[in-house]
């Protein structure tokens, strides 16, 4: 290798310096999380309401229809319908919390209350604001998932010791949906655009193998389902809570992590353009 090629190659200290500089953009994120936590005390009922939707689905579909369905074949084993649906609803609970905070709440602060304009008058930068909002959204989703996991545990629907990782997995699901949700919110023009959020979230809840195994879908539609983020969250939670662990778990983790980080990057760039232009 020539001397010139050696000179062009970045050294380890240079790479670390660049990484430190990139991370410095997110240094103020904990302050944003703290602000949101203080504000949440005044809207506690709204905060906990997102937990009840998957709980009602469990009580109505899981227990009601479960008596008619009986057992479900999944991962080469037989499970009751409640055991099959429970992990999926836990993933949906994490999704609900993350989406609620990263879309409606962020849009109000961005377009109407102008909270972010005030934040930028402090040492905070747009990327720190984006990171803080996403961290708060995934914490909210993890809180919903923790409460729902306790319900499943008491009901006897948890079948594996791997379930101790169910809440960290729900946090990863929250990261994916919070990143994607906040990035999408930066393109919203009015409250009417949020009809699109419901248009995406409800089909995801109903069709991402939440209530039926993938084998029941037509082959072409099944391929589309496997591209959706909630599918990967549902399958990850099922593998942990039912003990059907295999190599596909790594694929689910990578998918959700990449989606979350990509959303964080795009949200930070978009906030820079919207708030600093």
């Amino acid at each position: 290798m020539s001397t010139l090629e050696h000179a062009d190659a970045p050294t380890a200290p240079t790479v670390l310096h660049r990484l430190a500089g990139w991370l410095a953009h997110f240094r103020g994120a904990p302050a944003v999380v703290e602000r949101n936590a203080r504000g949440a005390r005044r809207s506690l009922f709204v905060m906990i309401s997102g937990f009840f939707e998957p709980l009602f689905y469990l009580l109505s579909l899981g227990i009601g229809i479960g008596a008619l369905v009986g057992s479900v074949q999944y991962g080469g084993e037989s499970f009751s319908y409640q055991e099959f649906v429970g992990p999926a609803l836990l993933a949906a609970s994490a999704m609900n919390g993350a989406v609620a905070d990263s879309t409606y709440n962020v849009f109000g602060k961005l377009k109407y209350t102008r909270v972010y304009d005030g934040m930028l008058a402090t040492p905070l930068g747009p990327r720190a604001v984006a990171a803080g909002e996403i961290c708060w959204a995934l914490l909210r989703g993890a809180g919903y998932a923790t409460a729902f996991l306790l319900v499943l545990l008491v009901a006897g629907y948890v079948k594996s010791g791997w379930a101790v990782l169910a809440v960290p997995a729900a946090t990863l699901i929250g990261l994916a949906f919070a990143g994607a949700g906040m990035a999408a919110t930066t393109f919203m023009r009015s409250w009417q655009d949020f009809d699109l959020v419901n248009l995406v979230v409800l089909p995801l809840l109903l069709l991402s193998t939440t209530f039926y195994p993938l084998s029941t879908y037509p082959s072409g539609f099944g391929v589309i389902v496997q591209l959706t983020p909630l599918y990967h969250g549902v399958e990850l939670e099922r593998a942990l809570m039912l003990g059907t662990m295999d190599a596909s778990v790594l694929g689910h983790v990578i998918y959700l992590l990449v989606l979350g980080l990509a959303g964080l990057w795009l949200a930070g760039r978009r906030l820079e353009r919207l708030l600093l232009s």
Side-chain angles (χ1 to χ4, degrees):
M1 185 178 292
S2 66
T3 304
L4 179 60
E5 289 175 329
H6 276 294
D8 291 340
T11 62
T14 301
V15 173
L16 292 176
H17 179 72
R18 291 175 181 175
L19 179 60
W22 185 78
L23 292 176
H25 289 295
F26 306 100
R27 188 176 300 162
V32 180
V33 174
E34 181 182 0
R35 181 207 173 275
N36 287 341
R38 291 177 180 273
R41 297 175 185 175
R42 296 191 294 270
S43 56
L44 188 58
F45 178 77
V46 176
M47 285 289 296
I48 65 175
S49 62
F51 160 75
F52 289 101
E53 181 179 357
L55 179 61
F56 292 153
Y57 271 112
L58 178 66
L59 295 176
S60 59
L61 297 177
I63 297 177
I65 296 179
L68 302 175
V69 173
S71 61
V72 176
Q73 295 299 316
Y74 178 77
E77 300 182 41
S78 180
F79 300 97
S80 71
Y81 188 65
Q82 295 92 326
E83 293 168 349
F84 176 78
V85 170
L89 293 178
L90 187 145
S93 184
M95 175 187 71
N96 287 344
V99 168
D101 253 310
S102 65
T103 56
Y104 298 98
N105 290 346
V106 167
F107 185 76
K109 295 173 185 176
L110 179 64
K111 296 291 186 178
Y112 292 94
T113 60
R114 300 291 182 179
V115 170
Y116 297 145
D117 291 330
M119 288 183 178
L120 293 184
T122 72
L124 290 174
R127 295 184 186 181
V129 171
E133 290 289 0
I134 289 174
C135 286
W136 172 250
L138 67 92
L139 286 174
R140 181 173 174 176
Y144 289 162
T146 301
F148 196 74
L149 178 61
L150 293 176
V151 172
L152 296 176
L153 188 62
V154 171
Y157 298 150
V158 177
K159 311 303 292 183
S160 170
W162 286 105
V164 297
L165 298 177
V167 172
T171 304
L172 183 60
I173 296 168
L175 172 64
F177 279 98
M182 188 171 184
T185 300
T186 61
F187 291 94
M188 300 292 184
R189 298 161 297 179
S190 67
W191 291 112
Q192 283 70 31
D193 290 339
F194 281 88
D195 291 338
L196 298 174
V197 175
N198 295 326
L199 188 62
V200 171
V201 170
L202 185 57
L204 283 180
L205 173 63
L206 297 178
L207 300 176
S208 300
T209 67
T210 312
F211 303 106
Y212 315 101
L214 184 63
S215 59
T216 63
Y217 293 94
S219 57
F221 188 74
V223 173
I224 297 174
V225 167
Q226 292 179 76
L227 298 177
T228 63
L230 186 58
Y231 165 80
H232 291 275
V234 166
E235 292 300 306
L236 177 59
E237 293 290 3
R238 280 203 179 113
L240 294 172
M241 297 178 65
L242 301 182
T244 57
M245 299 286 289
D246 56 29
S248 65
V249 168
L250 181 59
H252 301 319
V253 170
I254 293 174
Y255 178 104
L256 295 169
L257 184 61
V258 169
L259 178 61
L261 293 179
L264 171 60
W265 175 82
L266 179 57
R269 292 290 300 272
R270 287 286 299 166
L271 284 180
E272 282 184 335
R273 180 175 300 180
L274 292 172
L275 296 175
L276 299 181
S277 60

